[in-house]
Amino acid sequence: TALVKKEDLSGKWIYTVVKNKVSLQEVKTGIETVDDIEIINPLDEKIPVVVSGQSELYPNANVTIVNPHDYTH
C-alpha cells in the first residue's frame, strides 16, 4: 500500500515525489479491500507516488526513482 503509517499523523497520507524530494499529501479513501484502497480525491497523474519504503522516509527527503518503467499513470 502507498499509505504512510506514522503515529503522529491523523488521517490518511501518501508520499509523492517532485524534483526528487518527497512530500506528504493527505488523501481521502473510499472502498478498501485486502489488496486495494480507493483514493477518492483527485491526484495529479504526472506526480509519482511512493509505493514502498515509506517507513524510511520523511518530508523533503531526497529520493531517486529506481524503477520508472513500473510507474504507470
Side-chain angles (χ1 to χ4, degrees):
T1 180
L3 291 180
V4 175
K5 297 176 182 171
K6 295 191 185 255
E7 290 181 16
D8 58 335
L9 290 177
S10 62
K12 299 194 177 177
W13 299 79
I14 59 172
Y15 278 120
T16 57
V17 180
V18 176
K19 296 183 180 177
N20 293 335
K21 290 194 179 272
V22 296
S23 62
L24 280 169
Q25 180 175 342
E26 189 168 16
V27 294
K28 295 180 185 195
T29 58
I31 299 169
E32 295 187 31
T33 67
V34 173
D35 297 320
D36 297 303
I37 299 173
E38 176 186 33
I39 303 294
I40 58 175
N41 58 304
L43 297 174
D44 185 335
E45 293 179 2
K46 296 176 185 168
I47 297 177
V49 173
V50 176
V51 296
S52 66
Q54 299 93 319
S55 64
E56 304 297 319
L57 294 177
Y58 51 90
N60 294 317
N62 289 315
V63 295
T64 301
I65 298 174
V66 294
N67 248 343
H69 301 291
D70 290 344
Y71 172 69
T72 58
H73 302 306

